[in-house]
Amino acid sequence: MASMQLENQVSAKEQLTANLNNQSPNKIHPERYINYSESEKGPDPPTIDIGEEVTFNEFVSKGAVVYTPPSGGIPGLSPAWVLAWDATGYTVIPPNPNKVYVTCASTKIIEKMTDDEILKKLDKSTSADGSYTDPFTKATINANLTHSFRSGNSLKANFGQE
């Protein structure tokens, strides 16, 4: 399994390490990257080859990425994945827990989601765990956001397709 390291300057208290794993049958690339952390800049998510895990060090603490396979399939029917996270809570219980929002569907459906819609769904989430399987495309996504006082926040996500 290949691993790629990306570094960027973000304050240590808002550090987020993200491990993104592509278990789909195609290479996936970031169709859209949304940074909801106004004072931070993080690395842009890269394309992830089949079976590759990509690690981001010091990723933004609140954001979202929409991943899609390269064009070439049936337009609008290929799967797409949404991964959104909020690691600004620094608690494991309400009122401000770290949380994720995940979904997947055809690119036709996901492309219609606005940045604000994704943010609203993320803000409504109350869990640091997320999992979804789209019955039409058979795409799957699983994500977990954990916090450790020693190592900061860690986001793990798996993108797949049955």
Side-chain angles (χ1 to χ4, degrees):
M1 186 180 311
S3 180
M4 179 190 294
Q5 300 291 327
L6 296 175
E7 300 287 333
N8 194 35
Q9 299 297 322
V10 177
S11 67
K13 78 174 194 168
E14 295 183 354
Q15 177 177 338
L16 175 67
T17 300
N19 296 303
L20 309 179
N21 190 334
N22 177 15
Q23 294 301 312
S24 76
N26 295 300
K27 179 188 311 188
I28 59 175
H29 72 276
E31 182 70 26
R32 184 171 22 148
Y33 170 57
I34 310 156
N35 181 349
Y36 297 118
S37 302
E38 296 174 13
S39 64
E40 301 176 50
K41 292 187 178 178
D44 289 340
T47 296
I48 308 172
D49 286 326
I50 301 166
E52 181 179 38
E53 181 176 303
V54 178
T55 301
F56 294 92
N57 290 320
E58 300 177 0
F59 207 37
V60 298
S61 58
K62 188 173 185 179
V65 63
V66 175
Y67 268 99
T68 62
S71 58
I74 300 170
L77 299 180
S78 296
W81 299 263
V82 175
L83 170 64
W85 63 91
D86 182 351
T88 61
Y90 302 110
T91 64
V92 294
I93 57 173
N96 297 312
N98 289 334
K99 53 194 171 184
V100 297
Y101 165 72
V102 297
T103 194
C104 47
S106 70
T107 54
K108 186 176 183 177
I109 292 171
I110 298 297
E111 286 172 352
K112 291 180 183 178
M113 292 181 77
T114 66
D115 295 356
D116 287 340
E117 183 181 351
I118 294 170
L119 178 60
K120 285 177 186 174
K121 290 178 185 254
L122 174 61
D123 287 343
K124 285 182 182 179
S125 173
T126 59
S127 180
D129 296 300
S131 182
Y132 188 76
T133 299
D134 178 53
F136 180 70
T137 64
K138 305 298 183 201
T140 62
I141 185 169
N142 300 294
N144 174 263
L145 179 58
T146 59
H147 177 74
S148 164
F149 290 108
R150 181 171 282 175
S151 58
N153 293 304
S154 176
L155 174 66
K156 295 183 189 279
N158 294 306
F159 304 88
Q161 188 176 14
E162 296 174 357

